[in-house]
């Protein structure tokens, strides 16, 4: 059986949880088995996961699980997986998923692949799955040889599909060890989709000249409903917060649309963004390397082009 | 404090990525190798800062062939006290984690540092596996770490924000940007590194449960479509009708 760990934030499912269940359902079909989901801690709307393909939702409602400790989560997830007879466990490739998947793999003696971005194939008994490697510069196909398998799913690799029925929820008891990591505070930027989950991203670089000019970027992002990002020197000099830094040493993203403004397109920057579905580059220098990785390019002064684009987006939004 | 830093070797960040043997292997010809930036710039430097402030020792460990000793010596030149190399060609995160766990389990390190990910296979897997094998707490993507006795105050990246955490030693931690500032080895460091101990140990048997079988380069982008900078309505139209992303 395939077991999906469905991640919640403040008791609600994130889009990545629906992606994971959709992916798990399709994986279960390929393997000719069922897909169940597992939810830890206080949460609501569990039966909804059935719509995305879970035939059953296991729930360990222990409030101690409202705070995350990878060691505790790994113990509980492994126990439920064992009881349920699951041999494929799937996580989202989120901060939480990344630090738990490897632990669960180690406990279950499972082969694991992190950050997968396509459905597995099974040929002649060989289970293979693909992920991005070399910071987005290539893909690798992995073969998982063990019976037990652990995967983490890269965000935005599959669209959630809700076509089924709500699923029965089964409360299960599991031993919850005492947490050794104390969570004092969680600070999240509210109201904005975090970069790893964002479908639309507006990003700017050193061509902006200084932090005081960022209002035109924020306005464009606002109109589009996009999340903002930046190049590394911009974060390093403190023009923008470091969590906006994308690239090889920042975060890797794969939105549907990446708009790069005043960014030259150095290979280390591209490493974090070149898996974006569509790339728009706005740069005054036609020779900027970013144009080679772009689908659409605008050669011009960003201080003129960006406000114009914002106006055009406003008009589009008003009409659609 | 007794500190361990796990360091890996990765292709240099501008290296040309190509494959050989029918796309089954990474083509390393002409590729320059470096210490994984997260390991060198953040994990190692923060460990050294703690040791400089409170005493103790910093050991670096690498699972890899003899050719990796250039990178290991660089770690010693930056300031680590000693190094261990597990003499094996690593094939998977699980294999690496098993080797490091085998060495670390009897050494009683207070903190084991890793990078948040290796920039070649981008796994973020060795850290959690190692922590599980050692039965220790694991904090990933740390951007700040302060010690107060045996208590650590940590800030870590989470999706769309930060978490403020506390944990007591011993624990395993992975380093993200912000944890420390890169250090360049100086001449004295480089000279001293030559005399520092580098112990080579043989690997224990461990299975590779997940292995790469084939590589593929992303499809080439077609020629960029240039849009008149005066006509942003056209760009919006294309994004809507052609690319279908808005
Ligand atoms: C090991 C290593 C890791 C790295 N990791 C990363 C990483 O993760 N992410 C990252 O981003 N970088 C990374 N870098 C840095 C990278 O090499 C580049 O230096 C950086 O991406 C450049 O940032 P930029 O494009 O904002 O600035 P620049 O290269 O200075 O480019 C600015 C661009 O703006 C354009 N411009 C200027 N004025 C205007 C205007 N008025 N209108 C329109 N266009 C204008 C210019 O033509 C130019 O192309 C890394 C470097 C190293 C060595
Ligand atoms: N061969 C290795 N030897 C020692 N440490 C390693 C090795 N491979 C990976 N690591 C450590 O594990 C971290 C995460 O690597 P990965 O799981 O491959 O993304 C790296 O930043 C290193 O700290």
């Amino acid at each position: 059986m395939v077991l999906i760990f469905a991640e919640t934030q403040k008791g609600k499912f994130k889009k990545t949880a629906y992606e994971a269940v959709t992916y798990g359902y399709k994986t279960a079909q390929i393997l000719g088995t069922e897909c169940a989901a597992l939810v830890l801690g206080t949460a609501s709307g569990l039966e909804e996961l059935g719509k995305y393909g879970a035939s059953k939702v296991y729930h360990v409602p222990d409030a101690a699980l409202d705070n995350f400790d990878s060691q505790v989560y790994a113990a509980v997830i492994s126990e439920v997986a064992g009881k349920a007879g699951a041999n494929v466990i799937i996580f989202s490739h989120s901060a939480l998923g990344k630090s738990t998947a490897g632990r669960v793999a180690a406990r279950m003696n499972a082969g694991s692949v992190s950050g997968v971005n396509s459905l597995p194939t099974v040929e002649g008994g060989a289970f293979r799955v693909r992920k991005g490697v070399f910071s987005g510069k290539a893909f690798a196909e992995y073969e998982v040889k063990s019976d037990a398998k652990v995967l983490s799913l890269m965000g935005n690799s599959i669209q959630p599909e809700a076509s089924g029925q709500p699923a029965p929820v089964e409360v299960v008891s599991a031993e919850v060890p005492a947490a050794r990591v104390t969570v004092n505070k969680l600070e999240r930027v509210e109201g904005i989709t975090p970069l790893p989950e964002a479908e639309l991203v507006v990003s700017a670089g050193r061509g902006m000249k200084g932090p005081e000019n960022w209002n035109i970027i924020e306005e464009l992002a606002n109109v589009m409903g996009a999340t903002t990002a930046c190049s590394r020197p911009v974060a390093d000099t403190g023009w923008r917060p470091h969590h906006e830094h994308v690239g090889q040493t920042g975060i890797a993203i794969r939105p549907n649309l990446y708009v790069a403004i005043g960014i030259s397109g150095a290979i280390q920057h591209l490493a974090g963004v070149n898996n974006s579905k569509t790339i728009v580059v706005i740069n005054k220098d036609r020779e900027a390397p970013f144009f080679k990785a772009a689908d659409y390019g605008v050669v011009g002064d960003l201080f003129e082009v960006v406000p114009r684009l914002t106006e055009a987006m406003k008009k589009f939004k008003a009409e659609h | 404090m007794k500190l361990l830093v796990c360091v890996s070797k990765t292709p240099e960040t501008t290296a040309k990525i190509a494959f050989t043997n029918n796309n089954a292997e990474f083509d390393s010809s002409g590729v320059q190798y470096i210490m994984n930036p997260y390991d060198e710039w953040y994990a190692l430097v923060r460990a050294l800062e703690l040791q400089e402030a409170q005493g103790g020792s910093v050991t670096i460990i690498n699972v890899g062939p003899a050719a990796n000793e250039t990178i290991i010596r660089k770690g010693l030149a930056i300031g680590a006290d000693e190094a261990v190399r597990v003499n094996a060609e690593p094939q998977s995160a699980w294999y690496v984690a098993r080797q490091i766990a085998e060495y670390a389990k009897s050494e009683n390190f207070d903190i084991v540092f890793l990078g948040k990910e290796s920039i070649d296979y981008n796994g973020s897997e060795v850290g959690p596996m190692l922590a599980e094998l050692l039965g220790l707490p694991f904090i990933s993507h740390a951007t700040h770490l302060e010690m107060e006795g045996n208590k650590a105050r940590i800030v870590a990246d989470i999706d769309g924000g930060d978490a403020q955490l506390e944990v007591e030693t011993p624990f395993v931690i992975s380093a993200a940007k912000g944890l420390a500032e890169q250090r360049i080895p100086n001449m004295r460091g480089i000279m001293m590194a030559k005399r520092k101990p580098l112990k080579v140990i043989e690997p224990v048997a461990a299975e590779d449960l997940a292995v790469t079988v084939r590589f593929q380069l992303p499809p080439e982008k077609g020629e960029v479509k240039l849009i008149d900078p005066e006509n942003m309505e056209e760009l919006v139209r294309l994004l809507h009708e052609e690319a279908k992303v808005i």
Side-chain angles (χ1 to χ4, degrees):
Chain A
M1 192 185 74
V2 175
L3 184 69
I4 311 306
F5 174 69
E7 196 173 328
T8 54
Q9 194 168 300
K10 292 187 182 153
K12 297 220 165 60
F13 294 109
K14 309 208 298 180
K15 178 173 168 241
T16 48
Y18 299 128
E19 291 176 359
V21 176
T22 304
Y23 180 90
Y25 173 66
K26 294 190 172 184
T27 300
Q29 281 186 320
I30 292 167
L31 297 173
T33 179
E34 297 262 287
C35 158
L38 168 61
V39 179
L40 301 186
T42 316
S44 58
L46 277 73
E47 64 287 344
E48 292 296 300
L49 296 177
K51 295 185 181 166
Y52 299 88
S55 57
K56 181 188 253 184
V57 182
Y58 295 106
H59 187 200
V60 186
D62 197 321
L65 295 167
D66 293 349
N67 279 326
F68 170 65
D69 179 335
S70 63
Q71 201 166 15
V72 176
Y73 268 46
V76 174
I77 293 167
S78 307
E79 189 185 326
V80 176
K83 279 185 187 159
N87 57 349
V88 180
I89 325 285
I90 297 172
F91 293 85
S92 299
H93 196 58
S94 59
L96 187 156
K98 276 182 216 175
S99 48
T100 311
R103 296 195 83 123
V104 169
R107 281 185 91 98
M108 300 182 64
N109 222 354
S112 74
V113 185
S114 75
V116 302
N117 60 17
S118 73
L119 286 167
T121 58
V122 183
E123 262 171 59
F127 182 99
R128 291 182 172 188
V129 68
R130 196 179 79 147
K131 68 170 277 190
V133 289
F134 297 102
S135 306
K137 289 178 231 166
F139 298 109
E141 210 176 291
Y142 280 73
E143 181 169 332
V144 185
K145 296 175 170 174
S146 48
D147 175 48
K149 299 169 181 72
V150 170
L151 307 177
S152 69
L153 175 68
M154 190 77 180
N156 244 348
S157 299
I158 190 167
Q159 279 308 310
E161 286 173 27
S163 51
Q165 296 299 313
V169 178
E170 185 183 324
V171 172
V172 286
S173 61
E175 200 186 319
V176 181
R180 283 153 79 180
V181 178
T182 312
V183 181
N184 286 334
K185 201 170 170 192
L186 295 179
E187 272 178 22
R188 287 200 183 87
V189 197
E190 296 294 332
I192 299 169
T193 317
L195 269 180
E197 292 161 38
E199 290 179 7
L200 306 175
V201 174
V202 172
S203 185
R206 221 152 41 178
M208 293 297 295
K209 307 281 187 289
E212 67 281 3
N213 297 327
W214 241 266
N215 58 325
I216 59 168
I217 300 300
E218 275 164 356
E219 228 186 305
L220 174 60
N222 252 333
V223 172
M224 292 174 60
T227 304
T228 50
C230 69
S231 68
R232 179 168 151 207
V234 162
D236 279 354
T237 48
W239 291 3
R240 298 298 291 175
H242 81 89
H243 67 247
E244 283 197 358
H245 159 201
V246 293
Q248 184 143 35
T249 44
I251 37 178
I253 53 173
R254 39 180 300 143
N256 292 338
L257 175 60
Y258 184 75
V259 184
I261 301 165
I263 304 175
S264 57
I267 190 161
Q268 298 97 348
H269 183 86
L270 294 180
V273 302
N274 60 6
N275 281 330
S276 308
K277 199 170 151 227
T278 300
I279 296 180
V280 173
V281 169
I282 301 174
N283 198 305
K284 67 175 181 190
D285 175 10
R286 175 64 182 96
E287 298 308 313
F290 222 142
F291 283 115
K292 289 206 180 71
D295 299 282
Y296 302 102
V298 182
V299 182
D301 185 343
L302 68 90
F303 294 103
E304 290 164 17
V305 172
V306 173
R308 241 178 251 146
L309 178 57
T310 306
E311 281 314 307
M313 283 284 177
K314 267 189 199 153
K315 228 170 92 190
F316 170 80
K317 289 278 168 181
E319 288 162 11
H320 288 81
Chain B
M1 267 195 308
K2 199 172 158 178
L3 308 172
L4 180 67
V5 184
C6 307
V7 299
S8 58
K9 185 182 82 169
T10 55
E12 187 261 321
T13 55
T14 57
K16 183 167 162 31
I17 305 301
F19 303 99
T20 61
N21 188 12
N22 225 348
N23 283 333
E25 279 168 41
F26 176 62
D27 183 358
S28 59
S29 59
V31 171
Q32 291 264 6
Y33 284 92
I34 56 169
M35 197 188 310
N36 187 40
Y38 296 107
D39 311 353
E40 178 187 327
W41 301 351
Y42 312 128
L44 175 57
V45 176
R46 190 66 192 125
L48 292 171
E49 289 169 352
L50 291 177
Q51 182 243 34
E52 286 155 10
Q54 333 194 341
S57 64
V58 175
T59 304
I60 54 177
I61 187 167
N62 171 258
V63 181
N68 287 14
E69 291 192 1
T70 4
I71 277 138
I72 298 173
R73 288 282 172 210
K74 183 170 187 201
L76 294 171
I78 294 171
D81 300 292
E82 52 168 17
V84 175
R85 179 172 68 82
V86 182
N87 188 27
E89 191 69 63
Q91 299 288 343
S92 65
W94 173 241
Y95 185 91
V96 172
R98 281 274 286 121
Q99 304 309 325
I100 300 174
E102 191 64 26
Y103 167 77
K105 69 181 185 197
S106 53
E107 293 282 329
N108 297 315
F109 288 103
D110 294 299
I111 309 177
V112 179
F113 288 85
L114 303 96
K116 75 166 190 184
E117 67 176 34
S118 53
I119 62 167
D120 45 8
Y121 291 96
N122 311 112
S124 298
E125 287 184 290
V126 175
M129 287 174 175
L130 176 61
E132 191 63 32
L133 288 169
L134 295 173
L136 295 179
F138 174 58
I139 285 98
S140 71
H141 293 56
T143 56
H144 293 275
L145 162 67
E146 298 301 333
M147 296 302 300
E148 230 179 80
N150 68 341
K151 193 194 276 175
R153 287 181 202 284
I154 297 164
V155 182
D157 280 341
I158 53 171
D159 305 312
D162 289 331
Q164 293 175 16
L165 308 166
E166 258 174 49
V167 65
E168 284 180 9
T169 57
F171 61 86
V172 179
I173 188 167
S174 83
K177 180 173 179 261
L179 193 65
E181 292 285 336
Q182 180 183 10
R183 284 189 187 177
I184 311 289
N186 56 25
M187 211 50 213
R188 195 177 117 81
I190 294 167
M191 295 310 291
M192 281 180 35
K194 296 192 176 130
R195 293 195 302 271
K196 287 179 178 171
L198 193 170
K199 193 161 87 183
V200 179
I201 57 178
E202 289 306 314
V204 290
E207 272 179 283
D208 288 313
L209 303 173
V211 289
T212 54
V213 285
R214 199 159 51 200
F215 293 94
Q216 196 190 334
L217 290 171
E220 289 272 331
K221 280 261 176 190
E223 191 58 24
V224 56
K225 207 176 248 186
L226 288 181
I227 320 285
D228 175 4
E230 302 288 337
N231 191 357
M232 286 300 98
E233 284 77 19
E234 174 65 1
L235 175 59
V236 172
R237 187 188 69 77
L238 288 168
L239 291 176
H240 179 58
E241 288 173 14
E242 190 177 77
K244 299 189 169 60
V245 288
I246 57 168

